[in-house]
Amino acid sequence: MEHIIIEGGNTRLQGEVVIEGAKNAVLPLLAATILAKDGQTILRNVPILSDVFTMNNVIRGLDIDVVFDENNKEITVDASNYILDKAPYEYVSQMRASIVVLGPILARCGHATVSMPGGCSIGSRPIDLHLKGLEAMGAKITQSGGDIIAKASKLQGANIYLDFPSVGATQNLMMAATLAEGKTVIENAAREPEIVDLALLLNKMGAIVKGAGTETLTIQGVNRLHGADHDVVQDRIEAGTFMVAAAMTNGDVLIKDAIWEHNRPLISKLREMGVEVTDEARGIRVKADTASLKPVTVKTLPHPGFPTDMQAQFTALMAVVDGESTMIETVFENRFQHLEEMRRMGLHSEILRETAMIHGGQGLQGATVMSTDLRASAALILSGLVAKGQTKVGKLTHLDRGYYQFNEKLVGLGATIKRVKGDA
Ligand code: EPZ
């Protein structure tokens, strides 16, 4: 099994880092390409991540032509011929985000079979809001043999109120509504930048989506959508991860082309701690004297609240800041597992349901730790940068889902970190 080995203790990250296109944007954007009956769709600035390869295979499984030009970070999709309407279990089962192909296949074909996504380590990850919304649009949905089977000769526009501003449900329903009869209104919709990016592509394809980025989306159905050319938005979570890494290591790092607007809740908390965050012409610069930082309380919320995908990384920062910090995770029910692993590095923390008390500033020691999910992996590696001695992080399959060349980028900023094969 591959490991990442970090020699920590006196790392000071300095320099510039380039950020990839957003994983959580490119996956729904790929699903949207299913809707184009005419022409090709080209996605640029695509991150080279295992989840992207998986989604490409899900779409190829529909007999759609997908070409991934990794050198140019571009994917070309041609869905103009007849497509199949059953997403292949072998790939859908690998990545629960595949569920967002359900809406596009159903809207395009009138029938869709997609395997029920499992839960994952951070939570049960239900899809009730996806299914309720599609039923409101006239779909008949049954389950058989672990598959979801959805039928609707023509989806009808509907008024949908989401019980929770689910990112995936908003994406699935927005895409389904583009080819429905009439107007669909989605209230209490997710407002993440990745939702805005998806609406941008859909409108380039000929859809009529209004209100993306607000809590109310209005989609006027059209008859056909065509291919388009689209740059994937930058990954605000990768950018945020490097902001936190700089803050933890007395660093001075320019996160190139980072988008201030996409990380306002994170930047506000970093500043509250005493981290210097400045918006420069070429990106966002983060500087910190870690020893002078103050503890804070953070609560994760749907955008524009503090992103749950930055929670694990931020607790690693809390661990090196002297005093009692509090992290409240309101989005997922089991997203503190990295704290159990960090205990092996000497972190003192108490977890009570959705609240973790972090007793920071006690010093961390290097240890062998196991990552349990994507963002936990990043948090453990960042902790290794500041821990005294050597830290080994295993189960890198999680990391590779969401971070491209993470250790190379950290080496470029001055970290002593390498990736080794086998049980080194
Ligand atoms: C997306 O997942 C992201 N994944 C997640 O990023 C991110 O953490 C999450 O949004 C929240 O921002 C992708 O975009 C591929 P949700 P998604 O539906 O769409 C409940 C990462 O690390 N819910 O907004 O699955 C659900 O249980 C990953 O990059 C229902 O109850 O998130 C959860 O508690 C992790 N019923 C909450 O909503 C539903 O039908 C948020 O889920 C759907 C969701």
Side-chain angles (χ1 to χ4, degrees):
M1 177 169 73
E2 281 192 291
H3 280 84
I4 281 186
I5 297 178
I6 308 121
E7 302 299 339
N10 52 13
T11 305
R12 184 161 188 267
L13 297 183
Q14 291 180 295
E16 298 187 358
V17 66
V18 174
I19 304 300
E20 309 301 318
K23 165 182 85 82
N24 291 349
V26 70
L27 298 179
L29 293 172
L30 281 165
T33 64
I34 295 168
L35 294 162
K37 273 190 175 168
D38 306 312
Q40 295 183 331
T41 302
I42 301 175
L43 300 179
R44 304 178 197 282
N45 192 36
V46 172
I48 300 172
L49 301 170
S50 55
D51 274 6
V52 173
F53 291 103
T54 302
M55 186 60 101
N56 284 348
N57 287 330
V58 169
I59 294 173
R60 289 190 182 107
L62 303 173
D63 216 8
I64 292 175
D65 190 39
V66 179
V67 176
F68 190 4
D69 173 354
E70 292 177 48
N71 294 332
N72 293 308
K73 297 184 178 180
E74 283 176 13
I75 295 180
T76 303
V77 180
D78 185 339
S80 57
N81 299 320
Y82 172 80
I83 71 166
L84 301 176
D85 57 18
K86 181 175 169 54
Y89 172 77
E90 60 181 305
Y91 298 117
V92 174
S93 57
Q94 283 174 23
M95 182 181 67
R96 58 175 320 288
S98 318
I99 191 61
V100 293
V101 302
L102 175 61
I105 300 172
L106 178 60
R108 166 106 184 234
C109 306
H111 182 287
T113 304
V114 177
S115 76
M116 188 78 179
C120 72
S121 64
I122 63 175
S124 66
R125 312 295 292 271
I127 58 165
D128 54 309
L129 301 178
H130 300 238
L131 304 183
K132 258 170 53 177
L134 292 173
E135 285 172 334
M137 296 167 77
K140 292 282 171 284
I141 293 179
T142 53
Q143 292 192 15
S144 157
D147 283 340
I148 297 157
I149 297 151
K151 290 183 184 143
S153 49
K154 180 79 175 165
L155 289 168
Q156 300 302 311
N159 288 324
I160 299 164
Y161 191 95
L162 291 177
D163 302 353
F164 180 88
S166 153
V167 171
T170 302
Q171 292 165 340
N172 235 336
L173 299 174
M174 184 197 326
M175 289 190 277
T178 59
L179 294 178
E181 193 73 47
K183 183 170 87 167
T184 297
V185 178
I186 304 174
E187 293 186 83
N188 196 27
R191 301 168 56 186
E192 278 70 3
E194 294 76 28
I195 300 285
V196 175
D197 207 39
L198 177 60
L200 266 177
L201 172 62
L202 290 170
N203 286 338
K204 286 180 187 176
M205 294 169 72
I208 305 170
V209 180
K210 292 191 170 56
T214 74
E215 70 275 13
T216 304
L217 287 175
T218 304
I219 304 104
Q220 184 61 46
V222 296
N223 286 329
R224 283 173 88 91
L225 294 181
H226 52 75
D229 196 319
H230 185 74
D231 285 359
V232 179
V233 69
Q234 187 199 67
D235 193 325
R236 61 192 166 102
I237 304 302
E238 185 191 11
T241 302
F242 282 101
M243 291 183 201
V244 165
M248 292 174 66
T249 60
N250 290 299
D252 179 352
V253 176
L254 179 78
I255 292 92
K256 289 190 73 183
D257 306 323
I259 303 165
W260 190 277
E261 186 56 28
H262 290 179
N263 266 314
R264 282 174 45 235
L266 170 66
I267 290 165
S268 158
K269 280 297 167 185
L270 288 171
R271 282 179 154 178
E272 187 183 326
M273 281 181 132
V275 178
E276 198 183 314
V277 188
T278 44
D279 198 2
E280 296 186 358
R282 294 189 309 123
I284 294 176
R285 181 173 298 281
V286 175
K287 286 173 78 168
D289 164 17
T290 309
S292 67
L293 299 183
K294 298 179 197 57
V296 290
T297 292
V298 175
K299 177 186 273 194
T300 67
L301 286 167
H303 194 78
F306 188 96
T308 175
D309 292 349
M310 279 303 307
Q311 181 259 100
Q313 302 91 304
F314 207 85
T315 58
L317 171 56
M318 290 171 158
V320 297
V321 172
D322 207 4
E324 307 292 312
S325 287
T326 304
M327 177 61 78
I328 304 163
E329 169 58 66
T330 71
V331 178
F332 288 107
E333 65 267 29
N334 188 32
R335 205 169 194 179
F336 284 137
Q337 295 170 86
H338 51 285
L339 295 179
E340 316 289 348
E341 285 299 301
M342 287 166 69
R343 196 163 290 155
R344 294 170 46 75
M345 302 173 78
L347 174 68
H348 298 276
S349 68
E350 278 96 45
I351 300 170
L352 186 60
R353 286 190 293 282
E354 65 180 23
T355 301
M357 299 296 297
I358 313 274
H359 311 300
Q362 323 257 324
L364 296 178
Q365 286 75 41
T368 298
V369 291
M370 199 59 80
S371 49
T372 49
D373 66 84
L374 161 56
R375 306 302 170 183
S377 311
L380 292 171
I381 291 168
L382 298 190
S383 302
L385 296 176
V386 298
K388 291 217 173 343
Q390 186 179 86
T391 297
K392 275 190 197 177
V393 182
K395 271 196 158 179
L396 300 181
T397 46
H398 295 298
L399 183 73
D400 294 338
R401 295 188 52 192
Y403 289 94
Y404 174 66
Q405 297 190 340
F406 195 53
N407 44 301
E408 288 87 341
K409 292 184 181 185
L410 287 170
V411 168
L413 294 171
T416 307
I417 178 172
K418 61 184 177 185
R419 184 163 177 151
V420 295
K421 293 201 185 312
D423 292 334

